[in-house]
Amino acid sequence: MSLFSIFLTAIGLAMDAFAVSVTIGMCCDSRRKTVNSIKAGMYFGIFQGIMPLIGYFASIKFADMTGMWDKVIAFIILAFLGGKMIYEALHDEDEACLKCYNNKAFITLAVATSIDALAVGVSFAVLDTNIFASCAIIALVTGILSFIGVRLGKFIAGYIGNKAEIAGGIILLLIGFKILFF
């Protein structure tokens, strides 16, 4: 697999993490924008880089075991978090976003958005790809795009005001449906 193909794969894998990062940026307190940008870059980058490695070494057998459940698990996690964001936005406007993005939430979102990378790891094994270089590229691209996504989200939130968290919850739900059905 060429370096260019790996780079394009990395961008494709990073899109869910980027969309979630924009959502985080829409909701996070301006004082925590830098911290959340760094956390998003680190958590999403690390998990997106580790998952293909796990898929690579577990190979076909592991992919067969998770194949029918990985999308359902990602959907449940994202639907729960999205629903929670919408509920809290409607019932607790001041604190909803701040409660959402602790380390536990970042880990949960990172796992949910990187499950599809397991299958990519399996395909890397079949294609005899340099797994360590590929994982490093995937982690770096996802980390950078997630960092930018949080920054961009704050800009977008300025235009939609206090509806940012509702929009963020809807985005997470849509990502969950996309993972489940496509």
Side-chain angles (χ1 to χ4, degrees), residues 124-137:
F124 283 169
V126 172
L127 296 171
D128 195 30
T129 302
N130 181 335
I131 189 63
F132 296 109
S134 299
C135 288
I137 292 168

Side-chain angles (χ1 to χ4, degrees), residues 1-174:
M1 190 172 211
S2 72
L3 185 61
F4 184 69
S5 296
I6 293 168
F7 182 71
L8 290 178
T9 301
I11 290 173
L13 287 173
M15 286 299 102
D16 286 348
F18 175 76
V20 171
S21 295
V22 169
T23 300
I24 291 167
M26 290 169 66
C27 293
C28 73
D29 183 0
S30 294
R31 295 169 291 173
R32 298 191 43 85
K33 181 172 62 172
T34 300
V35 171
N36 282 327
S37 297
I38 292 168
K39 281 184 175 183
M42 287 178 48
Y43 280 112
F44 292 137
I46 289 169
F47 276 86
Q48 203 72 267
I50 288 174
M51 289 297 199
L53 192 62
I54 293 169
Y56 181 88
F57 288 115
S59 201
I60 304 301
K61 182 177 179 182
F62 184 70
D64 288 342
M65 290 173 30
T66 61
M68 56 189 262
W69 294 106
D70 61 348
K71 292 181 178 193
V72 174
I73 292 167
F75 170 76
I76 290 169
I77 292 169
L78 290 171
F80 173 76
L81 291 172
K84 181 179 181 234
M85 284 177 66
I86 293 169
Y87 176 82
E88 288 182 350
L90 296 173
H91 293 92
D92 191 16
E93 292 178 18
D94 294 334
E95 298 179 28
C97 287
L98 296 176
K99 288 191 279 185
C100 247
Y101 301 112
N102 56 27
N103 289 332
K104 183 179 175 182
F106 271 106
I107 290 170
T108 304
L109 289 168
V111 169
T113 58
S114 64
I115 288 175
D116 56 343
L118 281 170
V120 170
V122 172
S123 70
F124 283 169
V126 172
L127 296 171
D128 195 30
T129 302
N130 181 335
I131 189 63
F132 296 109
S134 299
C135 288
I137 292 168
I138 290 168
L140 185 64
V141 167
T142 302
I144 291 169
L145 288 177
S146 297
F147 180 89
I148 292 169
V150 173
R151 302 299 225 178
L152 189 61
K154 202 61 182 169
F155 176 75
I156 292 168
Y159 287 104
I160 63 174
N162 62 358
K163 305 294 185 232
E165 191 169 10
I166 293 171
I170 291 170
I171 289 169
L172 291 181
L173 288 169
L174 291 174

